[in-house]
Amino acid sequence: MQFFRQHGIVLHYQWIDHKKPRTFIFINSLGTDFRIWEGVVEALQKHGNILLFDKRGHGLSDTAERTNGLEDYMEDAVTLLQHFSINKCTVIGVSVGGMIAQLLAFHHPEIVDRLILCDTQSKIGDDTFWNNRIQQIESNGLGGIASGVMQRWFSETFRKEFPEKVAGYQNMLERCSVRGYIQTCEAIRDADLASKSREIKASTLCVVGSEDRSTPPAEVERLSKLIAGSRFKEIKGSGHLPCVDNAGELSTLIIDFLNK
């Protein structure tokens, strides 16, 4: 396990150095840690170096005393890249990780050579949705929302075929820092990146699972239309986390995108 202190907090990360010219940085979703990328990393590591990390308030990373919006999460990623003297990378983010990736491409275009945005938007949900979720967690803990979240993350077919995997990912969610989860909910609630998304210049691929109930295909396609020249792909049968339920197809889409 590898740890790095920055901005007063400790981040858990994994750096896999294959001495390749390309580096991939992965940014995970709300309520998960970087293990969600295992299948994609397995396929992509022959194509580049790998940098994974747990967002603040998730996995083995510290929970900050306070977080002032998604820009703080972005700066964590930037500082990690600087730590390894990575001046150019391919950024892959899912859900809120995709929002953080958009901020990275907007504020630091010199760093981002390719951008892969999975199951995300420039704005996810509204104040009512996030305030209700925060209230539920404050009243009943993460266990109170876990079953509903699994239905949004994974298709009905996946839940029936792989109940043990769903149970494992539910454990991952329920063991997240409650304060870290709520801070991230607040950051998502307060973020509207539409004006920034329109200014993204990096070559971009937007991907969504056809069964995603958190950021449905129509929403991700709208994001794709905001980013000039971006490509849009839908993975049939996948839910909100295609990196988990269809890592092979997601990896193929990414590799094909890199080769064009």
Side-chain angles (χ1 to χ4, degrees):
M1 293 187 289
Q2 298 166 295
F3 298 92
F4 176 65
R5 184 181 296 278
Q6 59 185 348
H7 306 138
I9 63 173
V10 171
L11 289 182
H12 175 224
Y13 71 91
Q14 184 176 15
W15 168 238
I16 306 172
D17 188 359
H18 292 298
K19 310 300 181 185
K20 300 278 190 180
R22 181 184 299 277
T23 292
F24 298 99
I25 183 171
F26 295 82
I27 311 177
N28 52 290
S29 58
L30 175 64
T32 68
D33 59 49
F34 67 60
R35 287 175 292 182
I36 65 171
W37 297 107
E38 285 180 350
V40 180
V41 167
E42 183 178 353
L44 293 187
Q45 58 184 342
K46 67 180 70 172
H47 299 274
N49 313 309
I50 304 292
L51 180 58
L52 304 135
F53 70 104
D54 290 339
K55 294 187 310 299
R56 54 174 63 197
H58 289 72
L60 300 183
S61 291
D62 277 350
T63 298
E65 285 297 318
R66 64 182 63 86
T67 290
N68 299 311
L70 291 180
E71 280 79 3
D72 281 1
Y73 296 80
M74 177 203 69
E75 287 301 333
D76 290 341
V78 170
T79 307
L80 261 181
L81 290 167
Q82 292 172 341
H83 176 68
F84 288 104
S85 299
I86 299 168
N87 300 314
K88 209 77 169 174
C89 63
T90 295
V91 183
I92 306 174
V94 61
S95 193
V96 65
M99 297 182 80
I100 297 165
Q102 290 172 66
L103 286 171
L104 186 56
F106 174 78
H107 288 290
H108 299 278
E110 73 285 355
I111 293 176
V112 181
D113 66 346
R114 296 288 181 106
L115 185 63
I116 294 96
L117 303 175
C118 305
D119 300 80
T120 190
Q121 243 287 14
S122 56
K123 182 167 182 61
I124 299 177
D126 57 21
D127 287 4
T128 300
F129 174 85
W130 291 111
N131 289 336
N132 286 342
R133 177 169 286 193
I134 291 167
Q135 186 177 41
Q136 285 180 292
I137 296 165
E138 289 174 337
S139 298
N140 303 304
L142 287 167
I145 66 165
S147 178
V149 170
M150 293 305 106
Q151 293 177 37
R152 299 172 74 88
W153 280 5
F154 302 116
S155 69
E156 182 178 358
T157 299
F158 186 86
R159 296 197 308 273
K160 287 180 177 178
E161 290 183 357
F162 303 103
E164 71 288 348
K165 291 185 180 180
V166 176
Y169 282 97
Q170 184 164 330
N171 288 341
M172 180 184 287
L173 169 64
E174 292 184 3
R175 294 170 188 176
C176 185
S177 160
V178 170
R179 186 173 66 177
Y181 190 97
I182 288 175
Q183 286 177 345
T184 311
C185 289
E186 292 169 340
I188 299 170
R189 178 196 64 194
D190 298 339
D192 186 343
L193 309 182
S195 62
K196 295 179 173 66
S197 302
R198 290 189 184 96
E199 298 299 319
I200 290 174
K201 305 302 182 188
S203 182
T204 302
L205 171 66
C206 295
V207 181
V208 65
S210 65
E211 307 303 310
D212 188 342
R213 293 177 55 194
S214 293
T215 52
E219 292 190 14
V220 179
E221 189 170 14
R222 280 199 295 273
L223 171 63
S224 180
K225 290 176 179 177
L226 281 180
I227 302 172
S230 71
R231 299 180 179 130
F232 173 75
K233 295 291 183 179
E234 186 174 317
I235 299 179
K236 296 297 182 185
S238 279
H240 189 57
L241 299 178
C243 51
V244 171
D245 65 26
N246 212 330
E249 185 167 348
L250 176 58
S251 301
T252 296
L253 287 174
I254 293 171
I255 293 167
D256 288 347
F257 175 60
L258 296 177
N259 291 332
K260 291 180 179 178

